[in-house]
Amino acid sequence: MSITQRTHYEILVKEVRTWAILEVRNARADALKLAEEIWKSEKYIGLRVIKEQFDQETNEFSSVEIFNRGMNRKESKYDKSGSITPCLGPNDLYSIDGRKSIWDLLSNTLITWQITPTELLHNLEHYYKLYNDTTKLQDAVQRTAVTFEDEQNSIQSRMQKLYKVVELAVTILKQTQETIPALEAGKLNPVIQSLSEKSNRTFLLLSSIANYIKPTLTLSDKFGRIIVLLSVSRPNWAMQALDQLLAEFLLHPSLLIQLLGVRSDSDRGQFLSQLTYLQNGSLNLVDASNHSAKFSDDVLRLNSFISDKKLPATRHVLINRLKKEIDEPKPISDKGLSIQLEKLKSIQTLLESLETEEHILEDFEEVINIRMGRLINSQIIGELLYEIECPFEQIHMLLELEEHSLGASNKRTIANFIFPILSRPDYEATFMGLNENPLLCMPKLTRLQTQVLKTDFSEMHRRKISEKLDMFCQTIMDNTQILKKVHQLNIKIQDKAIKLLNMLADNYFTDGDCRDQAEKQVRLYMKQPNFTEGLIIDLPAPERPIALLDFRALLEQAGINKPDDE
């Protein structure tokens, strides 16, 4: 690609979950033609063509997607609208959507009373408590009525329908009171056996458990009473009922913090890490040396059943909780932006090592990228740059952010800050080494260039930044006349070559024109007649093989292959 090329087209492909650059083309027509051919090969589930452009007058980059095939992400079974579902019959109240709507409508009340939607639906005392507080019930019914897609009836009529559904559900609960078996001393097997042939066995089992845990005052105690009821020998319908209750208890924000230990708002990374392990059923893999919390038997038991895929509803709640915690506007750490990005990236890495379901990984990747995007914004980065005087340190800080960031858009945001730093007139003296020994500035430029070329910036960003650094290095070479001075030294050509090779090995020359000129001069020396003999002619015979090996090693350190005529 030409050094002056200001526009190119990147062809990105998606095999499973992540995007990767497959080809780069200079011409739009060539890129689109190749993209169509690649897509027809049916090797990839997604394909995009990105136009990358650099405006030399403004020193600004722009990226535009001009071609897209396939889905950016799979539809996940966890993608829920979160809207309230009207319950048009008693059975609707007990459905997954019905109980979720009850939580959405009455969460503040349920948190205060420390109960779940299932407990509210299966215990008359809880219902009477809600019924006597007419404001809470009326507000929930009214908010639900507004969601009806019913143009024929007024909101008042819809509310009356909902009240009738509630009254009918209460009537059913009253009629079944005498048939609800007592759960004594946590002995669930007799209850399950007595209900196994009944058509409403799940309803009666949940009512029995709701009565059993009612005297317990705290969430963690209730949770503990249910956890011990779990068993691999339970029938599926009974395990589903227990899973339902556990999942609803974990909707209470404080319970999970109690179970995993006190969370520090100044550093939420450990809590996020533990939650990541738990939602996967891998809490037993936590490195105890890096985690101070000692998990209770209840938590480890919960983890075990999640690992065995026996508690899908509970895991769903934990997954959503982790997403919410990641998305929460609170800082993940009070130790700065780089540490926050590092902790988020570590969560993504941990998920990739634990998780096998692609749709879940895609969901988390999106949530983490969005959270990073809110952290990596112009105002925050601008404030960080303002606090750093040295432009070299400014760019190193940006490269550190890139190392810990995820997502092409986030990396592009960071990259867009680098070129303006290199282009600022008041920084030119620093980059050209005018404020110090210019030769000492050359390795700084080379180190920066090496870091930039290792980033996941777009190809154009890497190339343009690299060229700019090489230009500064070239200016220093021109000003210091370093190659000419080495050539004019009154020493053997072998020593001149070794001197330049040492400079190459010590990264004095940036990739590009600088390195090309230095390498060219070294190769000219090495092509001189009897160059190899001159390396060893003054040495005792036993030292000559060692000297030749040392020279070969220096060539490798300098990144130069042996010459053709050697």
Side-chain angles (χ1 to χ4, degrees):
M1 182 174 291
S2 169
I3 291 178
T4 58
Q5 184 74 27
R6 299 181 188 174
T7 303
H8 74 244
Y9 301 85
E10 297 180 359
I11 302 174
L12 291 84
V13 294
K14 184 179 185 182
E15 282 189 284
V16 181
R17 180 174 48 82
T18 58
W19 292 92
I21 297 176
L22 184 66
E23 297 282 350
V24 177
R25 290 290 185 270
N26 291 342
R28 179 188 180 101
D30 291 345
L32 293 176
K33 181 180 179 182
L34 179 58
E36 289 284 9
E37 293 174 356
I38 294 172
W39 182 244
K40 288 178 182 177
S41 71
E42 299 184 351
K43 292 181 179 179
Y44 307 101
I45 63 173
L47 187 146
R48 303 160 63 197
V49 177
I50 306 294
K51 177 184 178 182
E52 293 278 356
Q53 196 165 18
F54 174 70
D55 189 327
Q56 196 161 353
E57 293 183 2
T58 63
N59 291 325
E60 292 182 353
F61 294 86
S62 62
S63 300
V64 180
E65 183 177 87
I66 62 171
F67 183 91
N68 190 317
R69 293 290 184 271
M71 295 180 63
N72 287 338
R73 62 185 297 275
K74 293 181 180 179
E75 185 70 17
S76 169
K77 65 181 179 180
Y78 295 105
D79 290 335
K80 302 294 182 182
S81 65
S83 60
I84 296 170
T85 303
C87 297
L88 306 180
N91 288 338
D92 292 340
L93 286 171
Y94 298 95
S95 68
I96 294 175
D97 289 339
R99 287 182 281 106
K100 182 179 183 302
S101 295
I102 291 172
W103 177 263
D104 292 339
L105 290 163
L106 296 167
S107 58
N108 289 336
T109 299
L110 298 177
I111 289 172
T112 302
W113 294 353
Q114 298 194 76
I115 64 171
T116 63
T118 294
E119 289 178 275
L120 179 64
L121 290 169
H122 288 269
N123 189 288
L124 280 172
E125 288 187 36
H126 294 313
Y127 166 73
Y128 288 136
K129 188 175 181 180
L130 179 64
Y131 183 80
N132 291 331
D133 191 338
T134 55
T135 303
K136 291 185 174 64
L137 182 59
Q138 181 179 350
D139 178 66
V141 170
Q142 187 172 7
R143 287 169 59 193
T144 306
V146 173
T147 66
F148 269 80
E149 294 182 3
D150 184 355
E151 299 178 357
Q152 297 179 350
N153 295 301
S154 64
I155 291 179
Q156 194 65 33
S157 299
R158 301 175 206 171
M159 289 179 65
Q160 290 175 359
K161 288 182 179 180
L162 291 171
Y163 276 121
K164 289 181 179 179
V165 171
V166 174
E167 291 171 1
L168 185 55
V170 173
T171 299
I172 295 172
L173 184 56
K174 288 179 179 179
Q175 292 174 348
T176 57
Q177 286 301 296
E178 294 183 0
T179 61
I180 297 174
L183 177 54
E184 298 177 355
K187 296 180 180 179
L188 192 60
N189 273 341
V191 175
I192 292 175
Q193 292 173 5
S194 67
L195 297 176
S196 60
E197 301 300 324
K198 294 184 179 294
S199 59
N200 60 343
R201 61 189 181 184
T202 299
F203 178 91
L204 293 173
L205 178 62
L206 287 170
S207 298
S208 177
I209 297 174
N211 291 335
Y212 172 65
I213 62 176
K214 187 179 182 304
T216 309
L217 298 178
T218 67
L219 288 172
S220 56
D221 288 342
K222 287 183 178 182
F223 193 81
R225 280 201 172 195
I226 298 171
I227 280 287
V228 297
L229 299 178
L230 295 175
S231 172
V232 293
S233 63
R234 305 279 188 229
N236 287 336
W237 66 271
M239 284 295 290
Q240 289 171 4
L242 294 170
D243 184 23
Q244 173 181 318
L245 273 167
L246 291 172
E248 290 182 5
F249 273 116
L250 287 171
L251 291 172
H252 288 260
S254 63
L255 178 59
L256 197 56
I257 296 173
Q258 294 172 28
L259 294 174
L260 293 179
V262 178
R263 182 184 71 181
S264 170
D265 284 334
S266 64
D267 188 351
R268 296 166 50 229
Q270 179 174 306
F271 177 73
L272 292 177
S273 175
Q274 291 174 354
L275 182 50
T276 301
Y277 278 108
L278 180 58
Q279 64 81 29
N280 186 261
S282 301
L283 200 59
N284 53 299
L285 299 179
V286 170
D287 182 1
S289 62
N290 294 325
H291 293 77
S292 59
K294 181 179 180 180
F295 305 116
S296 67
D297 291 340
D298 287 348
V299 174
L300 293 176
R301 186 174 175 81
L302 175 68
N303 177 78
S304 176
F305 279 89
I306 292 174
S307 178
D308 291 338
K309 304 187 185 304
K310 300 294 185 181
L311 302 173
T314 300
R315 190 185 179 214
H316 182 187
V317 169
L318 292 172
I319 286 173
N320 285 337
R321 176 64 179 273
L322 179 56
K323 291 178 185 177
K324 183 177 179 180
E325 289 288 340
I326 291 171
D327 192 56
E328 197 171 287
K330 291 181 181 179
I332 295 167
S333 171
D334 60 359
K335 296 180 181 179
L337 176 58
S338 180
I339 297 299
Q340 291 195 71
L341 295 177
E342 184 179 6
K343 289 182 180 296
L344 283 171
K345 186 177 181 180
S346 70
I347 294 300
Q348 178 68 32
T349 303
L350 180 56
L351 285 163
E352 290 173 353
S353 69
L354 297 174
E355 189 55 65
T356 57
E357 298 183 54
E358 289 298 328
H359 64 85
I360 294 179
L361 280 173
E362 285 187 350
D363 281 354
F364 276 115
E365 184 175 20
E366 181 179 353
V367 171
I368 290 173
N369 285 354
I370 291 173
R371 180 71 174 100
M372 283 187 171
R374 295 208 309 270
L375 291 171
I376 302 171
N377 62 67
S378 299
Q379 180 178 350
I380 292 177
I381 294 181
E383 291 173 354
L384 291 175
L385 291 174
Y386 182 77
E387 296 174 356
I388 303 173
E389 294 185 5
C390 175
F392 278 105
E393 293 180 9
Q394 289 181 347
I395 297 177
H396 280 300
M397 183 273 291
L398 291 169
L399 293 177
E400 183 180 0
L401 296 183
E402 185 279 335
E403 181 183 355
H404 299 314
S405 67
L406 297 169
S409 62
N410 292 329
K411 291 181 180 290
R412 185 178 294 114
T413 298
I414 295 170
N416 283 335
F417 277 91
I418 294 180
F419 205 87
I421 294 173
L422 294 172
S423 303
R424 280 182 56 169
D426 53 328
Y427 286 161
E428 282 188 357
T430 301
F431 287 121
M432 291 188 296
L434 300 182
N435 301 327
E436 59 179 323
N437 181 344
L439 292 181
L440 297 179
C441 190
M442 293 172 68
K444 296 180 183 179
L445 295 168
T446 306
R447 283 195 295 271
L448 269 185
Q449 187 190 59
T450 301
Q451 285 183 269
V452 168
L453 293 175
K454 289 180 179 178
T455 66
D456 290 325
F457 291 153
S458 72
E459 194 278 340
M460 175 166 282
H461 278 100
R462 292 196 303 270
R463 178 166 54 86
K464 286 295 182 182
I465 295 170
S466 177
E467 289 171 0
K468 191 71 171 177
L469 293 168
D470 187 50
M471 185 199 75
F472 285 129
C473 195
Q474 179 67 54
T475 302
I476 294 173
M477 286 177 61
D478 293 341
N479 291 341
T480 60
Q481 295 288 296
I482 183 60
L483 297 183
K484 183 177 180 181
K485 289 179 179 178
V486 169
H487 184 65
Q488 291 176 343
L489 290 174
N490 188 24
I491 56 178
K492 300 189 305 181
I493 60 170
Q494 289 83 359
D495 293 334
K496 295 178 183 179
I498 289 173
K499 194 171 188 65
L500 288 179
L501 285 171
N502 278 316
M503 292 185 71
L504 283 165
D506 291 337
N507 295 316
Y508 271 80
F509 304 101
T510 50
D511 278 345
D513 289 341
C514 291
R515 185 176 180 85
D516 290 345
Q517 289 180 40
E519 282 193 19
K520 182 179 179 181
Q521 190 159 318
V522 169
R523 291 182 184 279
L524 285 174
Y525 292 146
M526 294 172 65
K527 288 181 179 179
Q528 297 301 311
N530 303 317
F531 176 84
T532 302
E533 290 78 359
L535 288 170
I536 59 177
I537 193 170
D538 297 328
L539 298 175
E543 297 180 13
R544 292 177 181 180
I546 298 174
L548 289 175
L549 289 174
D550 288 343
F551 185 75
R552 185 177 296 276
L554 181 58
L555 285 175
E556 293 179 359
Q557 292 172 17
I560 295 182
N561 298 324
K562 67 179 182 179
D564 296 336
D565 58 346
E566 187 178 338

